[in-house]
Amino acid sequence: MDRIAFVFSGQGAQHPGMAEAFYNTSPRAKELFDTADAIRPGTRDMCFSGTDADLRRTENTQPCLFLADLAAALALEEAGISADVCAGFSLGELPALTYAGVMDAMTGFTVTAKRGALMGDACTDETAMHAVLKLSNEAVEQICAAYPHVTPVNYNAPGQLVISGDKTELAAAAADIKAAGGRSVPLAVSGAFHSPYMNEPAKAFGAYLHTVTLTPPTIPVYANRTAAPYDGEIIGTLADQMNHPVLWEQTVRRMAEDGITVFIECGVGGTLQKLISKILPDAKIFGCETPEDIETIKEHLS
C-alpha cells in the first residue's frame, strides 16, 4: 500500500494568484486566508493580486507562501487524501510542522511572518543565491572554498547545489563554475539565506520560538537541518535551519528508505516535483496547486 509524503514548497516559487482557486473552492482554505488576513491585513490580496516585486520581498513572500502551501494540504484533506509523513523546503518546513500539529494554523502563520521579517531585515543588495547545475557537490564545494563569503547551502538533487553569499564573490565563483563545465543561475530571492549572513536572524528567531507553544508532531516531519524526523528538539533545529544548509536530497532519500512511495508537492511552482524526480526517478510524484490537480491525484491513487 502506498505511503504518502506531503512536501511543501519553498521561497522562489511564489507568483500572483497563488492558491486563489483553493480559496474559491475549499471551505478550509477560505477560512485559513480570511483568518490570516484579519491578523495581518492585506496578506490575502498580496497572495492573489500582489505584484511580482512585492511578493519577492521576503517579509511578504514567507507568510503568503505559508498560506498557499497549507491551503493545498487542507484542500487535499477535504478530498480524503492525507499524509503519512511530511517535509518542507526551507520556508516550507513551517507549513509542514503546522500540518503535523506542532502549531495551530494561525500560530504557524504568525511564526512564519516573524521569520520572514527577521530574514528580510538581514537582506541586502550585496547578497544573493545561485543554483549551480551540472557539477558534482564536491566540485562546487571546492570552488566555494576559494571565496570566504560564498557558502554551499541547498543540496537540492544530483547535479544541483545552491550557493549563497556576497554578490561580487558569487560572480567570480560563477566564472569558475562555467570554466569547470557547470552553470550558475541566480535565484528569485532577496538575500543570502541558509548562510552565515543569517546568523543574527537565526539567533533572534530561536529566542522568539521560546515564546511560542509547540507540541510534538502527530506524524513524522523530516527536518532540513538533519534529513531525519524531528526528535523533540524543535526550536533549536528550526532556528538552525535559517543559517545552515538544506539537506533536501538526503531528506528525500531518507523518506524513501522509510517506505514513502508517493510524494505530493503542496504549494506552487513544481520545483520540488522536479527535484524529487531527479533523486528518485521511479517514485510517484504529484503537484497540488489547483483543485484540478487534486482530481488527478485521486484518479492515480484510487
Side-chain angles (χ1 to χ4, degrees), residues 155-274:
Y155 289 75
N156 287 353
Q160 186 177 138
L161 173 56
V162 172
I163 61 178
S164 183
D166 174 80
K167 278 186 177 179
T168 301
E169 292 189 14
L170 281 170
D176 293 343
I177 288 162
K178 183 177 181 180
R183 188 159 66 96
S184 178
V185 181
L187 299 184
V189 297
S190 53
F193 304 140
H194 302 290
S195 78
Y197 283 93
M198 293 293 123
N199 285 348
E200 288 304 312
K203 182 179 178 181
F205 189 53
Y208 169 75
L209 288 173
H210 280 284
T211 71
V212 177
T213 299
L214 305 175
T215 59
T218 57
I219 60 173
V221 181
Y222 289 73
N224 291 177
R225 179 77 175 90
T226 64
Y230 274 85
D231 61 0
E233 179 44 54
I234 295 174
I235 291 176
T237 302
L238 187 55
D240 281 353
Q241 184 230 56
M242 290 171 64
N243 62 339
H244 286 80
V246 172
L247 304 180
W248 186 250
E249 179 179 353
Q250 299 91 321
T251 297
V252 172
R253 293 192 187 281
R254 174 64 186 270
M255 285 193 282
E257 291 171 4
D258 291 345
I260 297 303
T261 55
V262 175
F263 295 83
I264 301 175
E265 180 174 4
C266 298
V268 299
T271 298
L272 300 185
Q273 297 168 68
K274 295 172 185 175

Side-chain angles (χ1 to χ4, degrees), residues 80-97:
I81 302 168
S82 57
D84 297 293
V85 307
C86 60
F89 191 98
S90 188
L91 158 74
E93 198 159 293
L94 286 161
L97 289 165

Side-chain angles (χ1 to χ4, degrees), residues 79 81 286 291-302:
I81 302 168
F286 304 96
E292 291 75 21
D293 291 334
I294 294 178
E295 294 305 312
T296 299
I297 294 167
K298 286 172 66 176
E299 289 174 11
H300 283 86
L301 296 184
S302 60

